[in-house]
């Protein structure tokens, strides 16, 4: 996703927000709101709710800007981390909890590759994603739709990259099994 260019650097934006200058807040929103909203709206079907969550993420970022550590993540990733947590909290309040049952059936990585397939299969995958628990759906969104590396997703979610790779595999495996049962 293309970010808007700013007259200020990321460091200058952060410093302006820290100083409480409206210019910094405006630049932060102009540069990053589109990306944050795109992540949220994939999880929250109601556009008004997604817009509100995006606004809440920026308000929280403004009030907690002193917690931002540029050596840990880019400003964009930090903002997505805030939005991720707000979105999961929102979804938890609105959705019943679903507990996934694990089984020990081994499936090869080639079989679990869900990135290609017939058009009907892709449509079915999108339907199945809507039925996944919020954290699994968010993981697939960040990894496949936003093309983020596991290290960045780890920062956003607060989960170690190895554990995320395992969750990603299990989630793809679950979807693959459901698709197999459909066919």
């Amino acid at each position: 996703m293309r970010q808007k260019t700013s007259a200020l650097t990321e460091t200058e934006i952060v410093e302006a927000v820290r100083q409480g200058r409206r210019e910094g807040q405006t630049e932060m929103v102009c540069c990053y709101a589109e990306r944050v909203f795109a992540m949220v709206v994939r999880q929250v079907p109601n556009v008004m709710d997604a817009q509100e969550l995006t606004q809440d993420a920026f308000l929280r970022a403004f009030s907690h800007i002193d917690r931002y550590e540029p050596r840990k993540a880019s400003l964009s990733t930090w903002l997505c981390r805030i939005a991720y947590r707000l979105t999961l909290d929102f979804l938890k309040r609105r959705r019943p909890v679903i507990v996934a049952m694990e089984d020990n059936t081994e499936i090869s990585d080639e079989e679990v590759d869900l990135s290609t397939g017939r058009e009907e299969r892709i449509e079915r995958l999108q339907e199945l994603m809507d039925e996944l628990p919020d954290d699994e759906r968010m993981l697939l969104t960040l990894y496949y739709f936003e093309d983020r590396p596991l290290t960045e997703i780890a920062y956003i979610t607060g989960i170690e990259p190895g554990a995320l790779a395992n969750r990603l595999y299990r989630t793809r495996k679950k979807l693959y099994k459901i698709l197999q049962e459909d066919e």
Side-chain angles (χ1 to χ4, degrees):
M1 173 173 282
R2 185 176 111 315
Q3 293 178 356
K4 296 188 179 359
T5 47
S6 170
L8 300 177
T9 65
E10 187 172 285
T11 305
E12 292 169 333
I13 290 171
V14 170
E15 191 55 38
V17 172
R18 280 190 174 128
Q19 294 171 2
R21 295 188 350 237
R22 185 168 301 285
E23 168 194 24
Q25 294 174 346
T26 302
E27 285 294 316
M28 186 186 286
V29 171
C30 286
C31 290
Y32 303 106
E34 193 174 304
R35 183 169 197 168
V36 171
F37 176 76
M39 183 189 80
V40 173
V41 79
R42 285 189 185 105
Q43 304 304 313
V44 180
N46 182 304
V47 174
M48 297 293 282
D49 289 337
Q51 288 171 336
E52 188 172 327
L53 285 165
T54 301
Q55 286 177 333
D56 290 348
F58 279 95
L59 291 173
R60 185 158 299 169
F62 298 153
S63 64
H64 297 289
I65 194 69
D66 289 332
R67 295 184 185 169
Y68 171 61
E69 297 178 49
R71 61 180 164 60
K72 285 189 174 180
S74 69
L75 185 57
S76 171
T77 300
W78 183 70
L79 290 166
C80 285
R81 180 182 179 142
I82 293 169
Y84 168 83
R85 290 184 174 171
L86 288 171
T87 302
L88 281 183
D89 288 346
F90 173 82
L91 292 170
K92 284 177 188 172
R93 289 189 307 267
R94 302 197 60 145
R95 271 181 108 164
V97 175
I98 300 171
V99 178
M101 299 296 289
E102 292 292 324
D103 78 24
N104 295 324
T105 307
E106 287 298 317
I107 297 177
S108 71
D109 284 337
E110 292 79 29
E111 290 176 307
V112 179
D113 183 12
L114 301 171
S115 60
T116 60
R118 298 183 317 269
E119 197 170 309
E120 305 86 40
R121 188 176 201 186
I122 292 169
E123 286 176 22
R124 178 67 176 136
L125 271 173
Q126 290 172 336
E127 290 171 10
L128 291 173
M129 275 186 65
D130 289 340
E131 297 171 13
L132 289 174
D134 302 327
D135 59 336
E136 290 178 356
R137 192 172 68 254
M138 186 71 87
L139 174 60
L140 291 175
T141 297
L142 291 169
Y143 190 77
Y144 288 107
F145 293 103
E146 294 199 7
D147 220 13
R148 291 180 185 261
L150 283 177
T151 53
E152 198 171 307
I153 298 170
Y155 178 80
I156 291 170
T157 61
I159 301 168
E160 292 296 317
L164 278 175
N166 192 16
R167 280 187 188 185
L168 184 62
Y169 174 80
R170 286 193 325 257
T171 302
R172 292 183 344 198
K173 178 177 159 182
K174 181 190 316 184
L175 290 174
Y176 176 79
K177 284 183 175 185
I178 295 170
L179 284 173
Q180 290 302 105
E181 291 169 5
D182 286 354
E183 293 175 357

